[in-house]
Amino acid sequence: MGTEKDALPVVIDEILKAYGIEDKLTDWSVIHNGHINRTYSVSYKTNNGKTERRLLQQINTEVFKKPAELMDNIVRVTAFLKDKISKEGGDTERETLTVFKTKEGKYYYVDSTGAYWRCYNFVEDAFSYNAIENDQLFFEAGAAFGKFQSQLADFPIDTLFDTIPDFHNTYKRYLQLKDAAEKNAAGRLEKVAEELKFAYDREEDTKVLVDLTEKGELPLRVTHNDTKLNNIMFDNKTGKAICIVDLDTVMPGLSLYDFGDAIRYGANTAAEDEKDVSKVSVDLNLYEKYVKGYLSAAGKSLTKTEIEYLPFSAKLLTLECGMRFLADYLNGDVYFATAYPEHNLVRCRTQFALVADIEKNFDKMIKITEDAYNSLLGV
Ligand code: GN1
Ligand code: MG
């Protein structure tokens, strides 16, 4: 059973009842993975005496202002994926998420306090990583996100809601940071002069993908937009990537967002919130593994411009995430969950240290990318 510290919400009985699993709870725990939603695993006895596990997740409606639209996206994307997986002869129960309906037939439940809940299957006999344990795993990760992109290539993109408009518009993120610095809501401005300068020196970078998109030089695709390593479930037995989770930000976007963010998180030699920035660097071997995995699944459908900007996207998405942590620090930690007062500043510093290291290794990253692409094309 969960512990006192990990207390279930007071309205848990009401929620379980809405999903028809009241009075049957046998175990529960809190899953501390994301910075946004609150997630619980609950085990219960089914009518035939078996134990089943599900994920209950409270949607953060400060971040996701339109939870009904968000769920509409997820329901349609997972249905589409199930259809694809079934045609490919895959396992529709394990290779994408299942959203359970309430007894009333809805895909989410609003409890008596006004909070929004959803219920997913728990992918059993599978695990996720917060850090790479062997480099082949990162090839697998690249292939998994590449496959996800390919499977959704013919999803009707216009039917998707923008769950967070301009989510990866890095220039807007830059302006939001400037705004946060001007307002100085939490009175922390004087602590971050160096970090602000680091961001301000890179203003031009923040416009690059926005400009290319506006000029029609980069195609909009259905993208995941939050491609952290721990959003991939790996099968316990085979060690293969089986399922992409955390579909909240599946929206029209750029392939480069997904590529860059995966490198930001997974190819860092240190954790996202490592306090000792001397431990932060880009692992070029891991970078190469991811490029090869990603290209093996999606490479042939990418345009020349997309390929060209892959290394840049790693830098840009890292810079963007660092700016978001910094803006949140200035705003008083209102967006990301934090474990201690300087957490967002620490996260910002790791991101910026990684940007600096990517800049140092940029030529090598370009070469790795070109070689991998040429070998995919057989030239
Ligand atoms: C948030 O879902 P979670 O907590 O992994 C954030 C991402 C950031 C990430 C940084 C909706 O993701 O954009 O890259 O934290 N998600 C949202 O770790 O803002
Ligand atoms: Mg997320």
Side-chain angles (χ1 to χ4, degrees), residues 15 17 23 49 60 75 88 134 159 163 165 185-186 200 208-210 227 233 247 273 277 279 308 325 347 354 366:
I15 300 160
K17 194 166 171 205
D23 305 327
N60 181 333
V75 167
E88 289 163 3
N134 76 62
T159 65
T163 44
Y200 291 168
V208 171
L209 296 189
V210 183
T227 46
M233 303 301 299
L247 305 173
D273 58 356
V277 288
K279 292 187 181 154
E308 186 188 336
F325 288 140
R347 288 170 177 152
L354 186 59
I366 293 175

Side-chain angles (χ1 to χ4, degrees), residues 98-163:
T98 301
V99 191
F100 289 104
K101 289 185 190 171
T102 63
K103 279 194 291 194
E104 289 185 352
K106 292 194 85 171
Y107 285 110
Y108 58 89
Y109 175 68
V110 188
D111 74 25
S112 52
T113 72
Y116 280 71
W117 294 86
R118 63 184 166 205
C119 180
Y120 285 125
N121 60 319
F122 188 101
V123 185
E124 297 288 354
D125 304 315
F127 56 99
S128 69
Y129 295 92
N130 282 320
I132 291 292
E133 288 174 10
N134 76 62
D135 52 12
Q136 182 56 25
L137 206 75
F138 210 40
F139 177 96
E140 282 288 320
F145 278 120
K147 181 175 171 191
F148 182 82
Q149 187 188 300
S150 309
Q151 285 176 324
L152 291 172
D154 54 346
F155 186 91
I157 193 164
D158 296 338
T159 65
L160 280 176
F161 293 106
D162 256 334
T163 44

